[in-house]
């Protein structure tokens, strides 16, 4: 019988600088950052802390997609599309 595996479980919410406690999507970019889309915006997680990104035209993130070039595409409520490339958000 295999030995039980221990897991470390942490949770983060608005007290940890996440824009909303409801995550709608998560993606990881080639530089290692995790990007979390929420009802109130997009945050970048470096493994220790969240950094909120510049405001999008619509704060409610519906989905995140990483293309073959490593560009993060952000789909916002009501069909907005944004791309995150070279630390800039383009609308």
């Amino acid at each position: 019988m295999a030995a039980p595996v221990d897991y470390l479980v942490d949770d983060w919410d608005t007290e940890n600088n996440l824009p909303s406690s409801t995550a709608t999507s998560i993606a990881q970019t080639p530089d290692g950052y995790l990007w979390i889309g929420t009802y109130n915006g997009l945050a970048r997680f470096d493994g220790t802390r969240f950094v909120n990104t510049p405001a999008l035209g619509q704060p409610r993130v519906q989905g995140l997609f990483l293309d073959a070039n490593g560009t993060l595409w952000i789909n916002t409520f009501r069909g907005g599309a944004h791309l995150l490339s070279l630390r800039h958000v383009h609308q």
Side-chain angles (χ1 to χ4, degrees):
M1 178 174 218
V5 178
D6 293 326
Y7 293 96
L8 174 65
V9 177
D10 284 324
D11 62 342
W12 293 279
D13 57 21
T14 55
E15 292 178 8
N16 306 100
N17 210 32
L18 191 60
S20 169
S21 59
T22 303
T24 58
S25 51
I26 300 173
Q28 186 173 18
T29 49
D31 55 10
Y33 289 116
L34 286 178
W35 295 86
I36 294 85
T38 74
Y39 286 147
N40 291 325
L42 179 67
R44 184 187 74 198
F45 186 65
D46 64 8
T48 304
R49 65 188 177 101
F50 289 99
V51 174
N52 292 317
T53 61
L56 302 170
Q58 165 59 249
R60 185 174 180 175
V61 176
Q62 297 284 95
L64 299 172
F65 173 75
L66 191 67
D67 70 17
N69 296 320
T71 301
L72 181 66
W73 290 87
I74 307 153
N75 176 31
T76 57
F77 185 65
R78 297 197 178 161
H82 311 271
L83 65 95
L84 188 85
S85 177
L86 302 173
R87 299 189 182 131
H88 298 287
V89 177
H90 305 276
Q91 298 183 16

